[in-house]
Every structure is written in C-alpha cells, then in structure tokens.
Amino acid sequence: AMSYRQDRRRPAEDDSEVDAKRRRAPESQSELEKRVVDLIMHIGDKPGATSLESNLEKLVTLLEGELEKIGGRIIDTIMECAKNLPDKLTIYSTLVGLLNAKNYNFGGEIVEKLVAELQETLEKEGHRHAVNLVTFICDLANCRVLSLTSVVEFLEGLLEAASEDDIPQVRSDWFIYAVLRSLPWIAAELKEKKAEELENVLGGIEQYMQQRNRTHIRMLQVWTGSTHEQEEYLDCLHEQIKLLSGANWQEKHIARMYIAFDAVLGDALQHNLPTLAPPVHKPDVSAYPLPHVVFRLFDYADCPEDGPVLPGAHSIERHLIDEELGWIIDLNEMNRKDCAEALLAYTHRTAVPLPYVVLETIFGRVFALPDSPQPRIFYGALLIELCRLQPNTFPQVLAQAAELLYDRSHEMQPVCLDRFVDWFSYHLSNFQYRWSWTDWNDCLEADVLDNKFILAREVLEKCMRFSYYERICEILPETHERVRPAKPDIIFPMDDEEHPERARSRHFHALFQEKLSAEAMTEELRVQDEKGEGAEFDAEAFAVFFAVLLKLAAKSFSHNFAALTRYHRTLKVVVANSPLMQQTLLNTLYGCWRNNAQMILILVDKLLKMQVLDCGVVIDWMFGDGKDEHSRQWLWELLNNSLEKLGKHVAKSKLDLAALRDAKEKRVKKEAEVKKDEDGEEMKEEEDQEMDDATADADMELMTKEAEVAALAERLKRIFIDVFMKFASVLTERVLAQGDGAEKTLWFTFMQGRMRQIFLTHESLVREYVPTLEQELFSRPEVDKRAVEVFKEFVALRA
Amino acid sequence: AFKGNMALFDARARDKARELSAYRDQRYNGSLRDQEMQLKYSTTLYVGNLSYFTREEQVYELFGRAGDVRRVIMGLDRFKKTPCGFCFVEYYTRDDAESAIRCVNGTRLDDRVIRTDWDAGFIEGRQYGRGKHGGQVRDEYRKDFDPGRGGWNKIVSTRS
C-alpha cells in the first residue's frame, strides 16, 4: 500500500529559489535560463533576510553547475547588467571574480567577450553603455580577474586613442571621459601598486584638458553669466577626480563587494585583457555624444540640517549619484509610475538627501541643451507622480526648487526660461494654482525684459490657457495686475458706428449669414478695375472679410477651423500666392486676437498646414515692425513652430522619396529575374510593353519626387539662413545705433539668447548649413562680433 | 550581443501605452478584430471624466504638450448639444498619441483627474452621448454628487 505520508506530501515551500528544490519534473533549458537571468538581474535589489554576500555565494554555486549548458546566456546577462546598471556594477564584477576563481576558463571566456562587446557597442555608437563597460573592465582588476598591468595598458590605450590626429574633439572627449569616469573604481589599487603609471595617466589627462577648446560651453549653459556659471561636464569631472586624488582616492559611494571575498579572489588566477581596437573615425557621422553642462540647483545649505548631507559640487559622489539617477530615468522612460518607484528605491536613497538629488537630475533634463532626452511632459508627469508617492517631502522640495529658479531667473537662457514657464504652468494646473504669488513681487517693478517679469507673466498666461481668465483673476492678488494676462477676447472695433469700415464689415457679415460659396466670396474680393492693372484682389476688402470671419468664428477653435475650411478656396486663390495678402491676413489676425496668443498660434499653424500661409512670410511678419511683442514667448513659439513644421514636412517628403527608391530597386531586381526566367524565349510583346510603361511611369514619379524634395530642402535651407540674417542684422543695427554698452543691455542679451534658441532647437538641420552660413553671413566683417560668437559656439559643439 | 526575446533593459518592456483597455465600442461597425486592429494603429484618443465646463481650448493646451494636435472633438449631449464630459483628441502621429497616454492619462484638467483610452477613430455621430437623457451612460447611474457633471446622476436629477 502507498505510504500515507507520501500522498500528503506537498511541494517544498522554499524561501530562496537559489536553494536546490525538489521538482515534479526536470526543468527545461529555457526555464533554467529564464530563472538564471532573473536571479542575475535582480541580485542585490531588495534587502532581504539574507545578506548580499550570502546571496552572491548561493548564486555562484548555482551558476557554477550550469556553465556548460547555459554559460553563454550567463555571460550575456552579466554584460547587459554591467552596461545598464551602473549602481550595481561592483556586484557584477564580484560575481565575475567569484566565477573566475571557480573556473579559470570561464573567466577567460568572459574577458574575451567583454572586449568584443565593448568593440561592438562603440561601433554601434552606444557611447553611454560603452563607458559602463570600460569601468566594469577596470573593476575586474579589483576582483583579480584581470591583471593590473593589462588594465593599465587598457587605460593607456584609451588615452592614445584620444590623442589621434585629425579627429573631432567630441570623439577624443569620449576616451578621456571613459578613463576619468573609471578612475574612482580602480585608482586606489593603481596608487598602491602602479603609482607611476597612474601618475602618467593623470598627467596625460591634464595635458589634454589644458589644450581643450571651450567655445561651445556658453551655448549649453542654462544661466549665462558669472553668478551661476555651470561647468562643462568634462571640466567638472576632471575637478572631481583631482579632488578625489587629493583625498587619496577615498570615497564613500562605491560598494566594494569584492572586499568581503578577498581570500577567495586572492587565490584566483588572472587573465590579460585582449587589446581593444577603437572603431575608426568616420567623418560624416556626427555620432559622438554632444558635450553638456552640469546642472546644479542645490547646495548643502538648501537641505534639511537633520538629514543626510548633500555631497559638494566637486565631490565624486555628486557625479556618481547624478549619473545613476539618470540611468534609472532612462530605463523607465516609458512608464512614469515605474520610474517614480525606481527613483525612490535608489540604492543609495538613505545616504543622500533623496528628493534634492532626484529633483536636480530631473530639472537637469528639463533644461538640457540642445534638447531633453525625454519629452518634457514626461518630467512634469513624473514630478507629479513623485509628489503623489511622497506627499510629505517632494512637494516642499519642489516648491523650494521653483523659488530658486525664480530667484535665479535673471540670467537664464530664453529657451530654458520658456521650458520653466511650460513646466511650472503645467505643474500648477495640477495643484489648483496654489502658489504664494505675493512672494513674487519684485517682478512688479522689474523691466519688461527682466526675466522675473517675463516669467511671472508667461506662467500666468499659460495657467490661463489650462483654465480660464476668471480663474486666474481669482488666484492672483490684485497687487499683481501688471502680470495678469489680458482677457483673451477678440478685438473688433468695426462694431463701432463711427468706424470707417463699419459698412463694409456689415456687408461681409450679411454674406457670411447667407452662407455664400467660396467662389462667390472670391469674386467679392476682386478689384473692380477693368483696366486689369494693379493687384488682382483688394487688400483692404480682404482685411475686413477676414476680420468678420474671425469674429463670427470666435467661439471656439472648431468654429474657426470650420470657417477656414469652408472658405479654403477663397484663401488659396486670394492669399496663397501673394506675400502682401499673407501679411494682410497676419496683421488682421493679430489685430483681432493679440490678447489671445493661443488663438494666433493655433490659427497660423492651421493656415500653414492648409498651405494658405508660407513659412517665409510668417517669419518676415514676425520680425517686422508694428508689434511690441518681442518679449513675449508666443512670438518665438510661432517662429520655432513654423520652422519645425517645415522641417517635418521636408523630413516626411524625404521618407516618401526613400520609399519610392526602395520600390524602384525591388522592381529592377524583379525585372532582372523575370527576364532571366524567360530562358532566352522572347517575352510576349504586350507584356514587355506593359512592363516598360509601368517602369517609365514609376521612373517619372521618382524623378518628380526627387526634384520636389530637392526644391523643398533648398527652400528650408534658405529660410534658416534668412532667419539668421535677420538676427545678425537686428543685433548689428542695435550696436551701430546705440554704440558702446549696447551689448550689455537686457534687450541685446535677450535677442542673442533667442538666436541661440534657433541653433539649439533645430540643431540637426542647422549643422548641415554651417558651411553656407559661414560663407554667406558670419564671415562678413560688418556682422557684429557677438552674433558671430553665437555661431562659433554652435560650430564648436561638434568640432 | 544579447539575444532572445527578453529585451532585458529595453524601456519599452515597461510601456503600458500600447495596451488596450477592456472597453470596446458596442456600436462599432465591423468585427471585434477589426476594431482591435484599428485601436492598435489609432492616433485618436478618447478622453473621459471632463467637467461639463471644460472647453476645447483647454484640451488643446494640455494635450498639445504631448505633441501636435490635429483636432479636438468635444462630446455633446445629443439633445442639448452642450458638452457632456468627454472628447476625442486626434494627433497626427501614433508616437504623439502614445506620449499622451503615458503622460496625460491620470493627470488633471480643470482640476479633475482625466482618463485617456485608445479610440478606433472619430465618425460623425460618435460625438453624442448615448445615455437615455442625452449625456454619457455613466452619468445615468453614478452614485456620487459631481458638481462638474450636473450634480447627481441623471435619473435622480431629472426626477426632481
């Protein structure tokens, strides 16, 4: 009879999967792989009953037995973790050390694959991942997997690559960065056993840093000016390393797991590192990471006294924290909830004033130049999520940050100020616009071009867009009338009995009520001139027509779109080919809606899409006289949106062209095959003719498209050059008119900033125009040198 | 290079924007599979839990932060033709729409937490509420008092 106890036996309730389990059936290879990958990925994640050392030991015991079956998968997983989880790097290097101690050959396999992986990562331009691999390789010397000598050679090889001739600074920078960034892990060991070699490495870096060009820095700074200068990233890291060196390489951040295993690792045999051959520089590909500026908002005095201390700006800890938090954001950029949770679960969360460093990292990305790594709305939503998860800490620190940003707004670059406005209005719209507006009272006395005034006014206007005018009146104290937005209603003076165009406006009003067709309306606008001289259409009549249209459609955007669609043909015929008419339209639009920037932006956007307005004309109008709006954010939004729109249109056309080319290639291949298949037999004449016709048609289509795309791309280029010419002339004229000191005025700094914005916002397009810009504009002696400066800053970005 | 179907560190693995909710339009003209296919490639979002007072312009501002909005169609009470608390937002690209699902869904508009969901695409007629009283079905039965959506549910408020 069956044992009673056997029947009742339940599966073992194990607490750790790493323990050998009794199983009902043998685990398949893929199940084993999955389990192993999981264990490797998550080791060290949650503090549990068992220590990390103990978990590592158990993991090694498990893996040791499976090296033959799934060794490749194990190595791949470890490498992926090393590439993506910099805050856990030492856990994985220790893991490799322990595996190497148990199995020398396996250790050798890992080493070989590591260098190959680094090679491939660099070929594929995965520079950020490659840096983590470089550091990982260095740390393997700490774990006795690699000989210290070969790591020294490795570092020297990287320095050599940096000193190659005829390579752009952005390339050599990467090698220096990789070395600098790895030193905190390995330098202490080097100092002990390879002191002279370490000195040489540091000396080489020092030399490099001294000859390095810094022209690009100003373009990337959030605040331009001496009070809140931000350091360029490589300068900052260099200072941090020098400070660390002075402290004998002692730091408190890196958890050196291998120390606990010193005895085991000390007995292991070491490998030599195969030589890395850095990929050859390809001149066309601007694939190296752009430089950036280190964003700092807080210092230790801003943080609570009774909490952990914020590491100093030149401490290596500050650098490592910022980097590690950045990786967490990147790995969770598609899910704001996961991202917030992961940030709050940061490995070093108890050792640092967490809200402060997290906010600094996030704001650093909001203000990152040329552009943020993620869509900026993601950061806004992430901050709201963090406030939700930690309602007792984050909101207060966030308020502190906003205060600081307001206080320091004086020298903020316009493009960054815009982003602050966008973020802050969005954030307030989620918190009932609760803000101590009375604290922001110095903006009431400030100059119109003072950033504090601009900030307050633009934030309130955007808050109004999220809500409505009366709501803003509710939340804003009466003292702050100066920054209150205007009531966003339409301006329509022709309702006044005395207005000279009143009769005409009533006439068009009636025509609209009758639902006159677009064709008939077009005729209404035609000039009553039998001689056929002069303009075909009456600009004054058009202005009235358009104003009445806007008045009747004023209720909502949808009403406007319906009206524009209904009279699309009228607009196309009367306006589309006439810059004068387009200017008239824009002036009319502005006249009616100048208190509602949102409406102007939406309508111009629509009219550009409908191809009633031309991008070049919009830009001319924008720079033209008669509006006192240059300090307003919407004007520059208009400019940059129009440029972006045209850029997207060109990009889309290029994609369509590429698709046509692909199709042609396929056709040619197919034709060749078909003709081959015939085996010498002649194709039926009919079929042959059909095929030729189809080919001719397609070729025609391709040629037409090619011409179209070339013309579009050329037009885009000329528009950009025109924009820069306008900036250059506006700045130059101001200096000529006002003489010395003109360049120090708020107006001048502001305009220079807006010029920088064009370069930064459209970086990928503009960089292709650099030679032409140099030749046609910025090499001309009459151009003011400060305008040329901005151009040179831009060129230096990728030099 | 890491092979296999587990993209270990791909941020997309945590992306929920492509998931479909349980809702399917019962009046959709086509098979369930057709509808799901359209949802998969849609660039149109349904937005729910709006206040009756929220205007198109406010929707543009918020959703415009996620990308270029092609148009907004406000949901209307089918008798009164006034807003009844939902709308459709059409983007030009799928990417922008996904961005909105990731970043706007679950945040506030007019101080109300709004919800976004994929929509198979606007067709004339779909802007009208399908509740018995002309608004949305959910307003027929809800239990709470919501001043932004006419107070009590329609059954209660039309009784008195």
Side-chain angles (χ1 to χ4, degrees), chain A residues 259-328:
Chain A
I259 294 177
F261 297 98
D262 204 36
V264 173
L265 296 174
D267 284 341
L269 289 172
Q270 292 164 357
H271 302 266
N272 284 322
L273 194 64
T275 326
L276 170 77
V280 172
H281 170 61
K282 287 168 267 181
D284 302 325
V285 178
S286 54
Y288 303 105
L290 280 169
H292 63 272
V293 144
V294 174
F295 179 80
R296 288 282 170 255
L297 186 58
F298 299 114
D299 66 28
Y300 75 94
D302 295 312
C303 306
E305 271 173 20
D306 56 349
V309 177
L310 181 65
H314 278 165
S315 68
I316 197 66
E317 285 86 358
R318 198 72 179 267
H319 166 82
L320 295 171
I321 293 165
D322 195 33
E323 240 192 31
E324 288 161 7
L325 291 174
W327 275 99
I328 294 176

Side-chain angles (χ1 to χ4, degrees), chain A residues 127 167-175 208 233 281 286-291 796-799:
Chain A
H127 291 98
I167 55 170
Q169 186 168 289
V170 281
R171 176 180 161 101
S172 50
D173 275 353
W174 182 85
F175 292 103
Y208 178 84
Y233 81 109
H281 170 61
S286 54
Y288 303 105
L290 280 169
L797 273 183
R798 291 201 191 266

Side-chain angles (χ1 to χ4, degrees), chain A residues 642-661:
Chain A
S642 307
L643 289 170
E644 198 184 318
K645 190 161 233 77
L646 190 57
K648 280 188 183 164
H649 182 49
V650 172
K652 173 114 195 338
S653 303
K654 285 188 174 166
L655 280 178
D656 292 343
L657 178 62
L660 282 179
R661 286 202 176 121

Side-chain angles (χ1 to χ4, degrees), chain B residues 2 5 24 26 30 39 58 76 79 82 88 98 113 119 134 150:
Chain B
F2 194 79
N5 52 11
R24 299 289 177 271
Q26 296 303 318
L39 291 172
Q58 293 168 267
L76 303 174
F79 304 129
T82 54
F88 297 104
E98 286 183 7
V113 176
D119 186 84

Side-chain angles (χ1 to χ4, degrees), chain A residues 41 73 84 331-332 334-336 422 425 430 432 465-467 556-558 561 598 609 648, chain B residues 1-3 8-9 11 14-15 55-58 60-61 65 68 92 102-103 105 107-108 111:
Chain A
M41 262 185 77
R73 175 66 98 204
N84 287 280
L331 290 174
N332 290 282
M334 298 257 154
N335 188 319
R336 69 184 196 255
D422 286 351
S425 56
N430 273 268
Q432 300 90 36
R465 292 194 209 174
F466 279 117
S467 57
S556 77
F557 293 161
S558 288
F561 295 160
Q598 192 192 22
K609 246 222 149 11
K648 280 188 183 164
Chain B
F2 194 79
K3 297 171 263 297
L8 267 187
F9 294 103
R14 291 171 191 71
D15 184 13
R55 290 171 359 265
E56 199 185 317
E57 291 70 31
Q58 293 168 267
Y60 264 96
E61 180 65 26
R65 300 295 184 101
D68 285 338
Y92 291 105
R102 281 182 212 116
C103 302
N105 187 24
T107 64
R108 287 179 187 258
D111 207 25

Side-chain angles (χ1 to χ4, degrees), chain B residues 14-33:
Chain B
R14 291 171 191 71
D15 184 13
K16 296 226 160 95
R18 295 174 169 187
E19 288 173 7
L20 299 181
S21 75
Y23 178 86
R24 299 289 177 271
D25 184 0
Q26 296 303 318
R27 297 192 194 172
Y28 178 82
N29 196 1
S31 72
L32 190 61
R33 226 181 72 183

Side-chain angles (χ1 to χ4, degrees), chain A residues 657-675 691 695 698-699 702:
Chain A
L657 178 62
L660 282 179
R661 286 202 176 121
D662 273 346
K664 171 164 182 164
E665 251 182 64
K666 289 197 178 109
R667 226 181 326 112
V668 165
K669 253 196 224 163
K670 200 169 173 210
E671 268 174 36
E673 281 169 19
V674 166
K675 296 231 158 121
M691 197 182 254
T695 309
D699 281 347
L702 183 61

